Amino acid sequence: MEYSVQMTFVNEIGDKVSLTLGNIRPDVTQAEVRALMDAIIAENIFFSPGGDYKTKYSAQFVQKQVTKWDMV
């Protein structure tokens, strides 16, 4: 099973900007993601054409299961 967190922020001009982090551990908590989003905003570490990330908009935890079949 693969896990990721999709986070959406609002930048200075009001546009929504999404960021996805893969290889997340399966027991990550909402509080940890909230703290991560706060740190991303506070540290201003990502570029957005519409300006700095200003507020949190949403976040979601995604589980993906892939089954590969050998066709040879």
Side-chain angles (χ1 to χ4, degrees):
M1 188 85 63
E2 296 176 22
Y3 303 95
S4 62
V5 172
Q6 296 175 342
M7 300 170 285
T8 303
F9 300 87
V10 177
N11 64 19
E12 288 180 316
I13 64 170
D15 288 342
K16 293 176 188 149
V17 181
S18 293
L19 175 66
T20 300
L21 296 177
N23 297 321
I24 299 296
R25 66 177 205 276
D27 62 343
V28 68
T29 66
Q30 182 177 351
E32 290 171 319
V33 173
R34 186 180 307 247
L36 172 61
M37 292 178 79
D38 287 337
I40 288 170
I41 291 169
E43 297 296 324
N44 195 26
I45 58 175
F46 291 103
F47 173 77
S48 165
D52 297 343
Y53 293 6
K54 289 297 181 185
T55 59
K56 298 181 295 266
Y57 182 78
S58 67
Q60 56 188 2
F61 179 74
V62 178
Q63 301 177 77
K64 179 179 176 185
Q65 183 172 341
V66 177
T67 302
K68 291 186 178 185
W69 292 320
D70 186 8
M71 296 299 184
V72 180

